[in-house]
Amino acid sequence: MEHVVARESRLTESASAVFEVLARAGSATRPQLASLAGLSKPTVSAAVVELEHVRLAAHSGTASGGTGRNAAVYRLGPAAGAVLAVDLGPALTRVRGCALDGTLLAEATGSREDAADAVREALGALPAGTRCAPSSSPSVMSPPGTAPAPACAPRPPRRARCSTP
């Protein structure tokens, strides 16, 4: 199975701006995207269609504002990318692959000695064509004054978290 490494896409400027806003917001309606991106509603509508076409955005439901029509709500799409978190403990290695929207895509566990096999297993379980960007941290990253959390642990609201379907 081959995985695509994240690289610069060929989106229009408006689609890139809307994608950036959607990535920060997590989910939003077209009017919210227009306001946050500083773009007109027709421009955002065209940008959302472009993002949906390349699976970088996806329709996730509707929101009711009380009056008028219900607004479509959008979230990051399946092609937006993924994160592979590796928790290399003293005896146990845990690996979780999560889509940028927080959906759990793959997980594997193994002994510390078999860490590379656990990573390969999780990578092999990711959907074909999953976009990956390498990153690393020499230690657990936690906000100052808080206890360290395991890889892909739930985060405060508005941040992605790995969840089971």
Side-chain angles (χ1 to χ4, degrees), residues 15-28 32-38:
S16 294
V18 169
F19 179 78
E20 186 176 318
V21 167
L22 191 56
R24 280 195 313 264
S27 67
Q32 290 169 333
L33 291 169
S35 174
L36 293 169

Side-chain angles (χ1 to χ4, degrees), residues 1 5 15 19 22 29 45 51 58 69-70 72 85 94 105 107 113 116 133 154:
M1 177 181 311
V5 175
F19 179 78
L22 191 56
T29 63
S45 291
L51 292 171
R69 298 183 313 182
N70 288 343
R94 293 183 299 251
L105 300 174
E107 63 183 329
E113 294 78 25

Side-chain angles (χ1 to χ4, degrees), residues 17-124:
V18 169
F19 179 78
E20 186 176 318
V21 167
L22 191 56
R24 280 195 313 264
S27 67
T29 63
R30 288 182 190 204
Q32 290 169 333
L33 291 169
S35 174
L36 293 169
L39 299 170
S40 70
K41 289 179 186 177
T43 299
V44 167
S45 291
V48 167
V49 168
E50 181 181 348
L51 292 171
E52 284 184 303
H53 180 71
V54 294
R55 300 178 57 218
L56 292 175
H59 181 264
S60 66
T62 57
S64 175
T67 60
R69 298 183 313 182
N70 288 343
V73 177
Y74 296 90
R75 61 173 172 74
L76 292 177
V83 174
L84 191 70
V86 180
D87 181 6
L88 187 60
L92 189 64
T93 300
R94 293 183 299 251
V95 183
R96 296 186 89 184
C98 299
L100 293 183
D101 67 359
T103 303
L104 179 64
L105 300 174
E107 63 183 329
T109 304
S111 68
R112 184 179 178 106
E113 294 78 25
D114 297 326
D117 291 335
V119 170
R120 277 191 285 275
E121 179 183 339
L123 281 171

